[in-house]
Amino acid sequence: MDLHDFLYRHELDRRLSRLYGDPAASDEDWVTIPQDAEAARALLGTVSQLTGHRVFARIARCALTAYERYASPQTASSYPLYRDTALREAFGDELETAYLDWAAIILEAVRFQMGDATFGSFLRCVVEADEAYAARAEERAAAGV
């Protein structure tokens, strides 16, 4: 595991701990993350390893966008259709990106495993962790660290 992976995973762990922990708990309290979330994190880690983190971050954003469209009260279609549309919008001609089809399959497995009720919150943690990590990386680069 390189430093990037370690720092991103640390950020994701913090966010997942807040998601699944007692709201009254302190940051130091131990939080047991449910098995489905642990499995989802491992599956999405596979996507990250297959595609590289930059592509993975775009895929995660697509998955969240698709979920938000799917969860909308005006929804008339299925999550896979919204997911595929969001991927096409984000990647356009890059749909030949290595492993993108596998990423879609893994996302569907994660959604199915977690259920719609928790899938969106989990994805939000993934995307927010990436955004926080990217902001910290920019700060470190600006500081010359």
Side-chain angles (χ1 to χ4, degrees):
M1 177 186 318
D2 65 10
L3 181 60
H4 163 79
D5 285 342
F6 175 76
L7 293 174
Y8 169 74
R9 288 180 187 187
H10 176 71
E11 188 65 42
L12 181 57
D13 286 346
R14 285 185 28 197
R15 291 177 185 282
L16 290 175
S17 291
R18 276 189 249 140
L19 177 65
Y20 293 109
D22 179 0
S26 76
D27 286 341
E28 302 300 317
D29 290 346
W30 180 260
V31 175
T32 301
I33 297 174
Q35 286 184 336
D36 64 339
E38 289 286 356
R41 181 171 52 181
L43 286 168
L44 292 181
T46 301
V47 173
S48 181
Q49 291 298 313
L50 289 172
T51 64
H53 189 78
R54 283 193 175 156
V55 172
F56 167 72
R58 290 172 63 191
I59 290 169
R61 282 182 185 81
C62 288
L64 182 57
T65 297
Y67 179 79
E68 289 169 347
R69 290 175 183 166
Y70 171 68
S72 168
Q74 298 85 8
T75 297
S77 197
S78 67
Y79 175 78
L81 179 63
Y82 287 116
R83 180 203 60 226
D84 292 347
T85 300
L87 288 170
R88 259 192 309 284
E89 289 170 356
F91 288 92
D93 292 336
E94 297 176 61
L95 275 177
E96 300 300 318
T97 300
Y99 304 111
L100 197 56
D101 51 348
W102 284 105
I105 291 168
I106 291 171
L107 284 170
E108 186 60 20
V110 169
R111 184 182 74 86
F112 184 76
Q113 167 198 343
M114 295 188 88
D116 286 333
T118 57
F119 181 63
S121 300
F122 180 84
L123 278 177
R124 214 166 276 105
C125 284
V126 170
V127 169
E128 289 173 357
D130 181 65
E131 290 169 352
Y133 171 76
R136 285 195 177 100
E138 285 180 19
E139 290 171 5
R140 283 192 300 276
V145 178

